[in-house]
Amino acid sequence: MKLGLPDAAFIRGKVPMTKQEIRILTLVKAQIGPRDIVCDIGAGTGSLSIEAARLAPEGHVYAIERKKEAVCLIEANRERFDLENLSVIEAEAPAGLEGLPPVDVAMIGGSGGHLMEILDRLTQKLREGGRLVINCITVQTLAEALDYLHVHETVYRYEAVQVQVSRLRRAGPYDMAEAQNPVYIITCTKEA
């Protein structure tokens, strides 16, 4: 299984999608194993959920998304990639986490303003040694996540990186760098 499907491989609408370079880094940080149980909160188009399901063929991925258009896109992408180990939950987190089994990996791409409550619920759901990856596109989300991790420093070990990707595009006879939005990736491991 190859990691890092091209962005064009996914059915897209007007819903935000985690771009290929950020997906690759997020999935490498998540260290998803073939039997892992994974949840993707704020799944958007499902690009991370799809790649996670491909990495965990004997496990299961739960994509939690509150927006109907996004849920439809995730379901369409699940069908496109013929993945039976991916369930789509149309719900706002943290409520959408209620019926889930304990998870090995949790990814947060969107929180709908409920990050603290989501992290509290995930702290209960995440197995010891489990990984939590939070993608932050705003400094406010970054600050909120770091505040939580500082308060829970006996529960989580974490690292954070800021990633800025630029893509070349043609400008007449030249190639010009076009910057993408920077993303902060926080990777946490739940302590035993």
Side-chain angles (χ1 to χ4, degrees):
M1 198 287 309
K2 291 183 180 180
L3 182 65
L5 292 165
D7 291 344
F10 296 95
I11 300 168
R12 297 176 65 185
K14 295 181 180 180
V15 175
M17 182 177 87
T18 303
K19 303 296 188 293
Q20 181 187 42
E21 296 83 2
I22 302 303
R23 267 197 325 274
I24 291 168
L25 288 171
T26 300
L27 293 164
V28 167
K29 297 286 189 182
Q31 299 177 12
I32 296 169
R35 293 183 178 89
D36 281 350
I37 303 299
V38 180
C39 67
D40 180 13
I41 299 166
T45 60
S47 62
L48 269 171
S49 298
I50 296 295
E51 298 241 35
R54 290 166 42 106
L55 289 170
E58 299 169 50
H60 202 86
V61 176
Y62 297 92
I64 301 169
E65 177 54 57
R66 65 185 175 143
K67 296 179 182 171
K68 183 65 175 170
E69 180 186 358
V71 167
C72 293
L73 285 170
I74 298 167
E75 290 172 345
N77 280 311
R78 177 185 61 198
E79 288 176 27
R80 172 176 269 190
F81 291 96
D82 193 28
L83 295 168
E84 294 181 12
N85 64 331
L86 172 59
S87 297
V88 184
I89 299 170
E90 184 176 355
E92 184 147 1
L97 295 166
E98 284 304 319
L100 297 189
V103 297
D104 301 292
V105 177
M107 301 179 292
I108 302 175
S111 64
H114 304 288
L115 184 60
M116 294 297 196
E117 296 92 341
I118 292 167
L119 290 171
D120 278 341
R121 192 67 49 84
L122 283 176
T123 297
Q124 297 166 5
K125 286 277 182 194
L126 194 62
R127 289 188 171 118
E128 290 182 0
R131 281 97 44 223
L132 166 63
V133 183
I134 309 165
N135 287 346
C136 309
I137 59 170
T138 69
V139 293
Q140 288 80 10
T141 302
L142 173 67
E144 193 174 10
L146 291 175
D147 285 347
Y148 185 91
L149 294 169
H150 293 162
V151 169
H152 296 84
E153 66 185 352
T154 59
V155 179
Y156 291 107
R157 231 178 336 110
Y158 76 90
E159 66 177 28
V161 297
Q162 188 260 355
V163 180
Q164 172 81 51
V165 174
S166 293
R167 293 182 176 172
L168 293 184
R169 71 170 176 85
R170 292 289 289 180
Y174 303 101
D175 293 293
M176 186 170 107
E178 188 171 74
Q180 304 296 302
N181 290 330
V183 177
Y184 297 90
I185 302 174
I186 304 172
T187 308
C188 313
T189 304
K190 187 175 179 184
E191 300 283 25

